[in-house]
Amino acid sequence: MKEYRGKIRLVVKHFPYRYRDLSLMASEAALSAGDQGKFWEMHRLLLRNSPRLDRGSLLGYAGEIGLNVKKFTGSLDGKAHSGNIERDRQLALALGIYSTPTLFINGRRVVGERPYEYFRRIVEEELAAAR
Amino acid sequence: MNISGGSSRKSLRRPDSVRIAALLRIGAAMACLLFAGSATAGSLARLPPPPVPAGNPQTPGKILLGKKLFFDRRLSGDGTMSCASCHIPDQAYTDGQDISQSYPTTRNWRNAPTLINAAYAGALFHDGRAASLEEQALFPVMSSFEMNLNLDFLEEKIRIVPEYVAAFRKVFGGEPTRERIAMAIASFERTLVSSNAPLDRFLAGDETALSREARKGYGIFTGKGKCAGCHFGALLSDGGYHALNVPENPQDRKDPRIAATRRFVAKLSQYAEYRTLEEDPGRYLVTKDRKDWKAFRTPTLREIARTAPYMHNGMLATLEDVIEFFDRGGGDGNRALSPLGLTGEEKHDLKTFLAEALSGDDIATTVPEIP
């Protein structure tokens, strides 16, 4: 994102893995942090600290990035974003997504983790096509 | 690659699994013999229906069950990977990378081959160590650097899913076992077949199926380019093994995780000097025959335009690179090839043939609902 600042945009959709006990709550945490303007800060912490994604850890992360923890806790426990997450999940199923991460770069599907150069090649091709 | 730790290999060798594997091998061998009977070096042939082993007939229920298992991440140790992680429908059932994706924190050491038309192959894997799709299917599941799942655990993970238990009972008349899991996945893979490729229409007499350049390329392929010496018949493969001395990837050589994978596979293959091994011995690890040192299976060329990068380690990024490699006479020191002296126009026509003639209709795969 740094290398292509101003040229590309990243949109995250949630597809919590049902066999992971904590992934649904982690999605709630990211969106609850987003309510306070800190989605990306929480998103990065979740990726960095996975699999420590239990409720206590999430509340700790909320404090770490300066959220109103009481408000965050209410949102998390009340599953305030369950409708959004379910909508994203249905979208993922409709798109035939079976693995995470799956990225769509201008519609080009990339399944699984890839080296940076793999993404760079596709981004460069798409930027060239858009010019 | 696909070799796992001791316990899984040991349990795979139970007498019942040996019997089933032997039965399936016999079925596959018969089918392949029949199939290969029409192949002649130097000439190409139309793709017939895929052979099906007598011990594992295709049924719609089995194919659907195999498809579900193929996409199910339960088949990996940490639940992050399925067969479809490296054999991605949108990428012609490859993963589009030089070295295949691997289990988290590890590195694979070979390229993921396409599954399209794998139904026709007499041997699977770059080194040909599996004789049938049934035999092949479980190796990546238990491989420490691929899906890394113990096969006893696999059986129990599937046996606690009521939908799977019901499906296995209906399809096989019994409970989920590793052998039946492999049979179901193999049945699904047998549906991944090229259809309506321009080459097949051309060989059936439709001259218009190929452009003028592709027809000239066909002439190069079967003539001056000598491609059809090994890439012949319906599958465009002799089913053999050749040491072309494709260079090792210098970046991969520096990666200690790949070194660990290489040593691990060599160790399991009883290669005595596995700790100092710095290259991929290929088929040699299977046969221990010196002539097989760095030899790899001749791949099918069907769907080749969709399956870059090329060779067992993905060292050649494009078809142009592949043509240049063969035109030079292959890698340093190889004795299988000699320089071809193709002109620029001949290379172009050959590439046009490969790109245009060998791609069948898109295989539309709908991801199934996983129980």
Side-chain angles (χ1 to χ4, degrees):
Chain A
M1 294 303 291
K2 275 183 197 163
E3 185 173 344
Y4 295 100
R5 195 184 299 276
K7 295 179 179 173
I8 62 173
R9 188 163 65 108
L10 177 63
V11 177
V12 172
K13 297 286 183 184
H14 298 268
F15 190 28
Y17 187 18
R18 60 190 166 138
Y19 306 122
R20 288 273 189 272
D21 295 336
L22 304 174
S23 63
L24 182 60
M25 190 162 58
S27 294
E28 289 278 1
L31 290 168
S32 297
D35 291 342
Q36 299 183 44
K38 293 201 170 176
F39 174 86
W40 293 108
E41 289 84 344
M42 180 60 83
H43 179 74
R44 278 190 284 274
L45 270 184
L46 296 174
L47 291 178
R48 189 187 309 157
N49 294 322
S50 177
R52 291 197 307 280
L53 303 173
D54 57 282
R55 183 174 176 277
S57 296
L58 296 177
L59 298 185
Y61 303 151
E64 202 176 308
I65 58 176
L67 295 181
N68 177 331
V69 177
K70 190 177 173 191
K71 199 174 162 193
F72 174 84
T73 307
S75 176
L76 187 69
D77 291 347
K79 299 179 180 169
H81 297 282
S82 59
N84 294 4
I85 295 168
E86 178 58 21
R87 192 186 60 207
D88 283 0
R89 200 180 72 82
Q90 291 298 333
L91 175 65
L93 293 174
L95 290 169
I97 292 175
Y98 56 84
S99 187
T100 49
T102 294
L103 278 86
F104 289 88
I105 305 174
N106 272 11
R108 290 168 65 174
R109 186 191 300 248
V110 180
V111 180
E113 292 179 26
R114 304 288 169 132
Y116 183 68
E117 285 304 317
Y118 191 95
F119 291 111
R120 187 208 295 267
R121 180 175 56 78
I122 297 177
V123 168
E124 291 288 347
E125 287 172 7
E126 290 301 317
L127 285 174
R131 279 185 200 120
Chain B
M1 260 302 291
N2 347 9
I3 296 177
S4 84
S7 62
S8 298
R9 286 173 64 79
K10 207 170 176 180
S11 54
L12 237 197
R13 290 177 183 151
R14 293 182 316 189
D16 58 338
S17 64
V18 171
R19 274 200 304 274
I20 291 172
L23 186 67
L24 295 174
R25 265 199 296 273
I26 291 166
M30 286 173 66
C32 289
L33 279 173
L34 290 170
F35 173 66
S38 61
T40 310
S43 66
L44 309 188
R46 293 164 64 189
L47 200 61
V52 177
N56 192 22
Q58 298 283 84
T59 66
K62 195 191 294 174
I63 292 166
L64 178 60
L65 175 59
K67 188 178 189 183
K68 289 183 179 188
L69 292 164
F70 185 87
F71 283 97
D72 195 337
R73 289 183 279 179
R74 283 189 186 89
L75 269 66
S76 62
D78 71 346
T80 60
M81 301 185 74
S82 66
C83 307
S85 296
C86 299
H87 300 287
I88 300 168
D90 280 3
Q91 294 189 281
Y93 285 88
T94 72
D95 67 4
Q97 300 196 79
D98 50 357
I99 297 296
S100 176
Q101 298 198 62
S102 52
Y103 193 73
T105 75
T106 72
R107 287 293 309 275
N108 208 314
W109 68 326
R110 288 176 181 164
N111 175 267
T114 180
L115 295 183
I116 301 176
N117 302 318
Y120 297 91
L124 284 306
F125 295 120
H126 290 292
D127 56 19
R129 68 188 174 282
S132 69
L133 288 173
E134 285 79 2
E135 195 179 324
Q136 181 276 336
L138 294 179
F139 277 88
V141 174
M142 61 184 176
S143 162
S144 299
F145 53 90
E146 290 176 88
M147 295 161 81
N148 198 20
L149 180 61
N150 178 288
L151 294 183
D152 287 299
F153 195 27
L154 164 68
E155 289 177 335
E156 300 314 316
K157 282 173 90 173
I158 298 301
R159 286 171 184 162
I160 61 165
V161 182
E163 294 90 336
Y164 274 140
V165 172
F168 274 85
R169 191 176 298 124
K170 194 172 175 189
V171 168
F172 292 105
E175 67 172 353
T177 63
R178 66 195 67 188
E179 292 82 10
R180 289 170 177 158
I181 290 168
M183 290 164 76
I185 292 173
S187 288
F188 167 62
E189 290 172 336
R190 280 197 181 90
T191 67
L192 306 176
V193 171
S194 286
S195 62
N196 200 32
L199 175 69
D200 294 320
R201 300 201 305 273
F202 177 74
L203 293 173
D206 179 2
E207 286 282 322
T208 65
L210 298 182
S211 68
R212 184 173 160 273
E213 287 178 346
R215 286 199 301 273
K216 284 164 62 187
Y218 173 74
I220 303 294
F221 188 91
T222 52
K224 184 177 175 183
K226 300 180 183 173
C227 313
C230 293
H231 294 283
F232 58 81
L235 197 56
L236 283 76
S237 168
D238 62 359
Y241 303 86
H242 304 280
L244 310 183
N245 291 5
V246 174
E248 300 286 328
N249 184 328
Q251 291 305 318
D252 292 350
R253 266 189 162 161
K254 290 181 201 162
D255 191 327
R257 293 168 299 174
I258 293 182
T261 298
R262 186 190 312 118
R263 291 177 188 187
F264 170 64
V265 175
K267 183 181 183 181
L268 289 183
S269 304
Q270 283 93 45
Y271 180 76
E273 291 86 32
Y274 67 89
R275 283 192 172 174
T276 53
L277 182 63
E278 293 202 344
E279 56 194 326
D280 187 338
R283 177 80 174 160
Y284 177 84
L285 288 183
V286 180
T287 65
K288 305 299 186 305
D289 185 336
R290 194 70 207 172
K291 76 173 171 51
D292 286 330
W293 182 257
K294 294 183 78 66
F296 294 92
R297 186 170 60 92
T298 307
T300 178
L301 296 187
R302 287 188 178 269
E303 307 297 338
I304 194 74
R306 295 168 171 161
T307 60
Y310 304 104
M311 316 311 265
H312 70 276
N313 57 0
M315 267 300 282
L316 304 179
T318 65
L319 285 176
E320 286 86 350
D321 293 341
V322 173
I323 291 169
E324 289 298 333
F325 175 81
F326 281 94
D327 189 54
R328 282 196 305 273
D332 292 344
N334 90 85
R335 288 186 287 184
L337 302 170
S338 53
L340 299 171
L342 298 178
T343 66
E345 187 180 339
E346 288 168 339
K347 290 175 189 172
H348 171 80
D349 291 341
L350 180 56
K351 193 242 169 171
T352 303
F353 169 73
L354 294 171
E356 187 184 297
L358 303 176
S359 302
D361 294 341
D362 283 339
I363 297 174
T365 303
T366 308
V367 177
E369 189 177 335
I370 309 297

